[in-house]
Amino acid sequence: MIRKRIALIVVFTIMVSNMIVGQNSTFVSKSPFLQDYDLSLILNEEKDKYCLLLGYWTSDDSYGFITISYGNCETSRRKITTIDYKNGFQMTFKKRCGDVLVLKKGFAPLANMSFKYDGESTFDISDLFDAFSNYDEDRDNFRSKKYHSFKQGKYQYGVYCIELFNDGHYQYKIRDILFSSGKYEREGRLLQFFDTGLDAAFYGIIKSEGIESRFFPGELRGMAFKLSNN
């Protein structure tokens, strides 16, 4: 089993290596909070870009990952600041001795999580960037539109879940891991989610079938989150 996993990691690395543009530094968190998952921060300081990935083993013993956030980054002697490409929020990682980064500003549930240097990666971060303005330009339009019947509760799309509580708070989970929490606001058919650790919101649109995502963490656009009966 161990040999099989090592072989799969090697194959995965080779596949990613085929998309190479420059070298990246990889920092990995193996916090008990993540259980069987790895959270990896990949930095390309030469190109001032970053990505945050959730890695996991699947039931058939293969390895996959979900992109949580990516964009540009600014590096100084004491800290690294990242700026999300889709939602514009910033995260700040403080540099510690021994090649360790600590998340000082970011998703509230991940506060003070440590990331340890884990070597070089050849993942091509630039492949993540694409055009998305056609999704962003309609935000103001939905503020003034009448919304469909809407209920608080748990809305799901595959391994992604966002739960809305009656007191105006929300929780957003990916594969049952809590990634974001804070308050939400509704204006017309627009739902905005304000993580208590971030300085910008991500949002969704109320539709008859549920909530349609607009740049939810995890690279979800235009996906229908449906109200769960659980």
Side-chain angles (χ1 to χ4, degrees):
M1 180 68 70
I2 294 177
R3 289 183 177 179
K4 182 179 178 181
R5 287 197 168 191
I6 292 174
L8 284 167
I9 291 175
V10 171
V11 171
F12 175 76
T13 302
I14 292 173
M15 290 172 62
V16 172
S17 298
N18 289 332
M19 301 184 295
I20 305 257
V21 176
Q23 292 289 328
N24 310 292
S25 299
T26 303
F27 296 81
V28 177
S29 178
K30 296 182 179 294
S31 168
F33 167 79
L34 296 170
Q35 299 179 355
D36 297 326
Y37 299 87
D38 295 329
L39 195 60
S40 299
L41 175 69
I42 300 178
L43 301 172
N44 189 317
E45 296 184 39
E46 179 183 356
K47 296 192 173 184
D48 297 326
K49 297 190 183 303
Y50 82 96
C51 64
L52 186 65
L53 307 175
L54 176 67
Y56 58 93
W57 290 99
T58 64
S59 57
D60 61 354
D61 220 28
S62 59
Y63 193 77
F65 68 90
I66 294 172
T67 305
I68 305 301
S69 175
Y70 67 90
N72 299 318
C73 64
E74 300 173 355
T75 304
S76 67
R77 188 169 62 88
R78 295 185 178 181
K79 68 179 182 180
I80 295 171
T81 301
T82 64
I83 304 96
D84 185 83
Y85 182 64
K86 296 292 178 65
N87 295 304
F89 60 77
Q90 294 186 9
M91 295 186 288
T92 301
F93 297 83
K94 185 175 181 180
K95 294 181 179 180
R96 293 281 176 84
C97 58
D99 294 327
V100 173
L101 301 177
V102 179
L103 181 63
K104 303 307 293 184
K105 175 186 175 184
F107 293 106
L110 309 184
N112 295 313
M113 184 175 287
S114 295
F115 293 75
K116 186 175 182 179
Y117 179 71
D118 196 49
E120 296 293 328
S121 168
T122 50
F123 187 82
D124 186 3
I125 299 175
S126 61
D127 275 357
L128 298 174
F129 290 76
D130 60 8
F132 66 96
S133 59
N134 60 320
Y135 277 91
D136 197 45
E137 64 188 8
D138 59 1
R139 189 185 307 220
D140 290 334
N141 294 333
F142 281 101
R143 281 192 170 96
S144 59
K145 290 186 177 181
K146 185 177 180 180
Y147 57 83
H148 296 277
S149 58
F150 175 71
K151 298 180 180 179
Q152 280 77 26
K154 184 182 294 184
Y155 288 80
Q156 291 183 295
Y157 173 79
V159 299
Y160 305 87
C161 172
I162 190 160
E163 187 167 5
L164 310 180
F165 300 95
N166 293 329
D167 63 357
H169 284 77
Y170 78 91
Q171 291 186 343
Y172 179 66
K173 297 180 180 180
I174 302 176
R175 302 186 72 89
D176 293 325
I177 298 175
L178 180 61
F179 268 93
S180 180
S181 61
K183 294 184 178 181
Y184 71 92
E185 295 180 356
R186 181 181 67 193
E187 297 181 70
R189 288 171 57 189
L190 177 71
L191 279 175
Q192 295 191 95
F193 303 93
F194 299 90
D195 186 292
T196 55
L198 301 178
D199 51 10
F202 59 93
Y203 72 105
I205 305 300
I206 299 173
K207 294 201 169 183
S208 57
E209 62 271 25
I211 301 172
E212 185 176 288
S213 63
R214 289 291 199 272
F215 311 135
F216 278 21
E219 294 309 293
L220 296 183
R221 291 179 294 171
M223 305 303 179
F225 281 62
K226 296 183 178 181
L227 186 63
S228 172
N229 295 322
N230 297 329

